[in-house]
Amino acid sequence: MKKILTSTIAIAMIFAAFTSCNNSGKTNGQSGALSSNVAEKVYVAPGEYDEFYAFISGGYSGNLTVYGLPSGRMFKEIPVFSQFPTSGYGYSEETKPMLNTSHGFIPWGDSHHPDISQTAGEIDGRFIFINENNTPRIAKIDLKTFETTEIIEVPNSAGNHSSSFVTENTEYVVAGTRFSVPIPQRDMPIKEYKGNFQGALSFISVAPETGNMDIKFQVLMPGFNYDLSHPGRGKSHGWFFFTTYNTEEASTLLEVNASQNDKDFIAAVNWKKIEEYVNNGGGTMMPADYAHNVYDEHTHTATSTMKKEVRVVNPSEVPGAVYFLPTPKSPHGCDVDPSGEYIVGNGKLSANLTVHSFTKMLAAIEGEKFDGEAYGIPILKFEDVLAGSVEQPGLGPLHTEFDGKGNAYTTFFISSEVVKWKLGTWEVIDRKPTYYSVGHLTIPGGNSGKPQGKYMFAMNKITKDRYLPTGPEMEHSAQLYDISGDKMELLLDFPTHGEPHYAAAMRADLIKERSQKIYDLEDNKHPYAAKSDDDTKVVRKGNEVHIYMTTIRSHFSPDNIEGIKLGDKVYFHVTNLEQDFDVPHGFAVLGQNTSELLIMPGQTKTSVWEPTKVGVWPFYCTDFCSALHQEMQGYIRVSAANANTPLIWSMGEDIESKQFLKLRGILF
Ligand code: RUQ
Ligand code: CUA
């Protein structure tokens, strides 16, 4: 016990020492950290476009934010795992099923690592995937619409952290578990963790045309913590690498107990081999509940299906498919260089940065040079797989990215810096401080065979004095560096939203050209769509009232509704008839227990209202859509439960239609 306490104190002191020394290293505008032409490098003139899109994880916001580089301007927040009143995502009847899980409706998520789809090892800009850590899920966002179109829950997983990275043809999006758990879940003593808990690594197939996700198989690994992962590429395509910590299999006080072993492992998984085994009927179907939620662009509606079983594979069933590469010391990031030869294990507590060689790994496997095994999985010898190490590059390495020109960039949390070093010679070329305590970094095209290395941005955990204070909470700060030269040059600070665990970025052209402007009204297959004012109606079915409503600048149809009674459940099905780019309408009614709706051109969305008071209640458009936006309103009358107010609806009877059209013609 005494030993444990002493080492806790020692670790705490190291952290304290480095954290405090960071703080004194602060620069300010006057200290000349930036050269004078820096402003030009990030200035995007009004009306001009940024060169890159950056998709930055929102962490505990559960969402994904979109930025432009080099300007650092935020363009959008895409709701993924959290309800989002700004658009009604997770509130509208159509999108609520997206947040369904085997634990019921979950309004929040913890998003971590976005990754863009690839074709032949290059970023293709079709989809972006992101993981939810807390209630394990993987989401897919369609980059045509910037909408979340699919979410699949990952059973047998817990703390879905070594996710969501894609293989070089997007064959799979891979999701590894951070916490090992009893599989299947059961009631058992926590102290019996060791040898009984397991870690699931899930390979989720992505259909080439549609992008539809399906869990192809899960590899059930020993009960370690699988922290991060990356696919092999080029020569190592077909393999996937996962860092592990807590190979001690401790269930308590991990800060000490999971730091005992001198080396943990990188697990190398030959997924092609396991895929072949599975395609030949290998593996076992085990019962498991997990939700698969799919959004249909034609009905504008999501459906949630509960799946009942999943295929699991034990590594011992497929000899030669899984190996352990010893890696010092509780490695976090697991990063593979663009050629696929080097696998970097960012050992958080290690003095050096370890790089393994894929070629050497294959040779060691071939020669069967093992250093024992763990739960039947062969352990390779450290010296046999080591490509080299960067000696004392900094303290607390977390993540590494590559520029495609033979250089690597590693973040160091404790010494608060990004260090540039050379692949193959392992020499440090440059180092730049970050403000402060950097976690991830991103180079556009980072996780691919062809990084688009011009910029790199660091995502920092502590902001402190970088901006005007905003109370005790400051948004995290990203810092943009020009990496086109030998030395990195700091260009810009910009705030992010939530906690930016990783980001994926790419050249803008590919996404920009394919970006969808409207939803085709003709193509709207929503069962409650009203495609013109003539289709509008109000239908009562028992105590359910369905209002088929349309919006167009600048009225609702119908805009006067009577005959609703207390105890009714009122469905406003609102179709936006506009067919112009960027003309959404909104909808809100007084007293509704949900968010507003924001309806895109050609789309139908539904808000449910259960009125609790008798009266005449206004509804209005929440998005300033035209000069007559303030006129875009209506009334709905609610009578007592036993009243016999007839159900009637109307729009514009008291205005001459000619005069009305003229008015619209003049104004728009
Ligand atoms: S992990 S530092 Cu999800 Cu590094 Cu964020
Ligand atoms: Cu429609 Cu404001």
Side-chain angles (χ1 to χ4, degrees), residues 584-586 621-626 629 632:
H585 292 290
C621 170
T622 47
D623 182 304
F624 205 108
C625 51
S626 77
H629 156 79
M632 200 162 171

Side-chain angles (χ1 to χ4, degrees), residues 111-113 131 133 161 227-228 332-333 398-399 438-440 459 461 499-502:
S111 62
H112 272 247
H113 313 123
N131 56 319
N133 195 57
H161 194 258
D227 203 13
L228 276 151
H332 186 56
L398 290 184
H399 297 278
V438 59
H440 289 256
M459 287 155 273
K461 301 296 183 192
E499 176 164 357
H501 290 278
Y502 201 48

Side-chain angles (χ1 to χ4, degrees), residues 94-95 295-302 519-520 523-526 601-605:
E94 289 78 4
T95 54
Y295 183 80
D296 182 323
E297 255 181 38
H298 305 284
T299 59
H300 301 281
T301 303
Y519 294 101
D520 188 354
D523 204 30
N524 182 332
K525 306 241 159 36
H526 192 293
Q603 205 176 39
T604 305
K605 281 189 180 174

Side-chain angles (χ1 to χ4, degrees), residues 178-211:
R178 175 168 147 217
F179 308 121
S180 281
V181 287
I183 297 179
Q185 271 294 5
R186 59 193 177 273
D187 180 9
M188 65 175 281
I190 300 170
K191 290 278 179 273
E192 288 169 22
Y193 176 131
K194 197 165 186 156
N196 290 314
F197 285 24
Q198 287 178 293
L201 308 178
S202 307
F203 286 73
I204 300 166
S205 59
V206 180
E209 285 305 310
T210 58

